[in-house]
Amino acid sequence: MNRDFEKCLASNRIVKQEHAVHLIPAEIGSARNDLRWAEASFESGNPKWATIQAYYGIFHAARALLFSQGYREKSHFCLKAAIQALFVDEGVLAQEYLDDFDTTMLLRETADYRSDFSRDGAESAVEAARRFLGKAEELLVQQSFDPIGDVD
């Protein structure tokens, strides 16, 4: 188990909650909505909001994956550490998806807290969110969860 995940467990920033699996459809619904808003913001020429919304699309899709393992998170960093430990390190999710999560998190932070954003960064974030959400839905179906239901 990786050290960051162990630290998050020890500090209760990742907690075991078996009933978390029941939250998957709503979380995927949030991811889809955030992606739609990101796409609309990008198309309307608002790269700051497109970047922020794209990140939250990834964030909610990652939460759905974490919920599928019976855990809940209490920080963005610990969510990323958990995805690393439970999916990437186990060979279930390619490293490129975690890299997209990390890059988009950084783009969101700089857009939100420093007002530093660009059209290229927003486009990259939206594309990363599409990929991540698609892969998360695929993995959830493989785990016998139905994220595709009417959750909008």
Side-chain angles (χ1 to χ4, degrees):
M1 193 177 305
N2 76 35
R3 294 193 74 202
D4 288 335
F5 185 59
E6 288 176 357
K7 287 179 185 177
C8 290
L9 285 169
S11 66
N12 289 319
R13 291 170 45 201
I14 294 286
V15 294
K16 193 76 171 156
Q17 285 189 343
E18 295 300 328
H19 72 275
V21 298
H22 301 292
L23 304 173
I24 293 169
E27 209 61 32
I28 289 295
S30 291
R32 289 178 186 160
N33 286 334
D34 287 336
L35 176 56
R36 280 195 290 268
W37 280 109
E39 291 168 337
S41 293
F42 183 77
E43 290 303 318
S44 70
N46 193 335
K48 178 180 181 178
W49 283 113
T51 301
I52 293 166
Q53 292 160 325
Y55 168 71
Y56 280 105
I58 293 174
F59 172 80
H60 288 291
R63 286 186 86 203
L65 289 175
L66 183 63
F67 294 167
S68 77
Q69 301 301 300
Y71 289 98
R72 301 244 356 223
E73 93 299 335
K74 296 181 182 178
S75 83
H76 293 245
F77 173 82
C78 285
L79 175 59
K80 188 177 75 162
I83 296 301
Q84 173 79 49
L86 300 171
F87 292 90
V88 177
D89 292 352
E90 295 297 320
V92 176
L93 184 67
Q95 180 65 43
E96 69 189 74
Y97 293 98
L98 192 67
D99 293 345
D100 281 347
F101 185 171
D102 197 40
T103 300
T104 305
M105 183 187 301
L106 180 60
L107 287 169
R108 193 265 317 170
E109 288 170 353
T110 58
D112 208 14
Y113 301 131
R114 296 187 191 109
S115 291
D116 182 9
F117 52 87
S118 68
R119 180 169 171 76
D120 288 344
E123 184 174 34
S124 173
V126 170
E127 289 173 6
R130 281 188 199 118
R131 284 191 305 271
F132 197 100
L133 176 56
K135 187 62 172 179
E137 289 179 331
E138 177 186 318
L139 291 174
L140 290 167
V141 168
Q142 288 173 4
Q143 295 176 54
S144 299
F145 293 105
D146 181 14
I148 312 301
D150 184 18
V151 293
D152 293 324

